[in-house]
Amino acid sequence: MIRIGRLHILTDSELQSRWSHLDLARAAVEHGAETVQYRRKGSSTRLMVEEAIALREVCRRRQVPLLVNDRVDVALAADADGAHLGDDDLPIPIARDLLGPHRLIGGSADTGAEARARRRDGADYAGIGPVFATSSKRDTGPVLGLEGLAVAVREAGLPLIAIGGITVENLSAVLATGVHGVAVLGAVCLSDDPGGVVAKLREILDRSGR
């Protein structure tokens, strides 16, 4: 089984157009990301497969897993390391049948109870949030806050990857809840120096001692 990394960086082409998915993946793996999630909405399947294959090569040179958000078909076609699935995507049990036992599958959750449901479905981890208010994802549940995240960590029964408004400034507080790791989007892709932000996040994670 592929290890569930603590620092997930999501690529993006909706919030900004300055950096390509490949730019962001390179910055992520070169500066300490342990997982890259390819996140592209509303594009053709052909384009997504082509981009995912390019990202896969960048990630594998650094032995960093590549997950495809939402699209199990693209993950399979690009021979990615797994997929992260939301409520409206292919159900996790079906995705597990298609992807097999050795690829990673993450599922989105708003609460600890939902994370437990993702575990029963067969997910390896749950992405939980939003921890803080965020403009990078519109279809989210209520903001958890740090107290809500800490409760979810106790309830979940599987590794949680916190997402939503996570930055260099608040990462230490997020990690103090006991969460397994974090997924970061806006703080990286909207930065003038994505690699520099990833390096700072990595440094904080390493100092956390887990």
Side-chain angles (χ1 to χ4, degrees):
M1 172 60 68
I2 299 165
R3 185 170 66 94
I4 302 166
R6 296 184 67 206
L7 179 55
H8 295 222
I9 301 299
L10 280 68
T11 68
D12 164 83
S13 56
E14 286 188 300
L15 297 178
Q16 56 82 45
S17 57
R18 181 177 182 182
W19 311 109
S20 70
H21 288 269
L22 200 56
D23 290 333
L24 294 168
R26 285 182 178 134
V29 302
E30 288 171 5
H31 292 87
E34 293 173 312
T35 302
V36 170
Q37 293 189 31
Y38 171 51
R39 178 182 183 267
R40 181 186 270 280
K41 306 288 186 180
S43 292
S44 73
T45 299
R46 179 183 292 274
L47 173 61
M48 290 187 69
V49 169
E50 290 172 351
E51 285 187 332
I53 289 171
L55 267 61
R56 180 198 69 197
E57 294 307 304
V58 166
C59 290
R60 288 197 178 163
R61 285 197 288 270
R62 296 282 183 140
Q63 297 183 312
V64 172
L66 172 69
L67 306 183
V68 177
N69 279 52
D70 303 340
R71 297 287 299 272
V72 171
D73 58 334
V74 173
L76 283 167
D79 191 25
D81 299 293
H84 183 93
L85 303 173
D87 293 341
D88 296 328
D89 299 326
L90 195 68
I92 289 172
I94 297 174
R96 177 59 73 196
D97 287 342
L98 293 170
L99 291 170
H102 302 299
R103 286 187 169 97
L104 279 179
I105 297 179
S108 295
D110 296 331
T111 64
E114 288 187 9
R116 287 200 306 274
R118 301 297 87 79
R119 181 188 63 183
R120 291 192 296 270
D121 288 341
D124 299 298
Y125 74 89
I128 190 157
V131 180
F132 305 108
T134 176
S135 60
S136 62
K137 196 171 189 297
R138 298 176 182 85
D139 55 338
T140 64
V143 170
L144 276 173
L146 293 172
E147 288 188 13
L149 180 59
V151 169
V153 169
R154 295 194 294 270
E155 293 178 344
L158 83 171
L160 295 185
I161 303 297
I163 190 168
I166 295 171
T167 66
V168 168
E169 290 73 23
N170 61 34
L171 177 57
S172 292
V174 172
L175 296 174
T177 67
V179 73
H180 177 78
V182 296
V184 183
L185 175 57
V188 172
C189 76
L190 297 177
S191 168
D192 292 336
D193 180 14
V197 174
V198 175
K200 290 176 183 176
L201 294 166
R202 175 79 267 155
E203 182 181 356
I204 295 166
L205 274 160
D206 290 342
R207 286 204 309 264
S208 73
R210 291 183 61 240

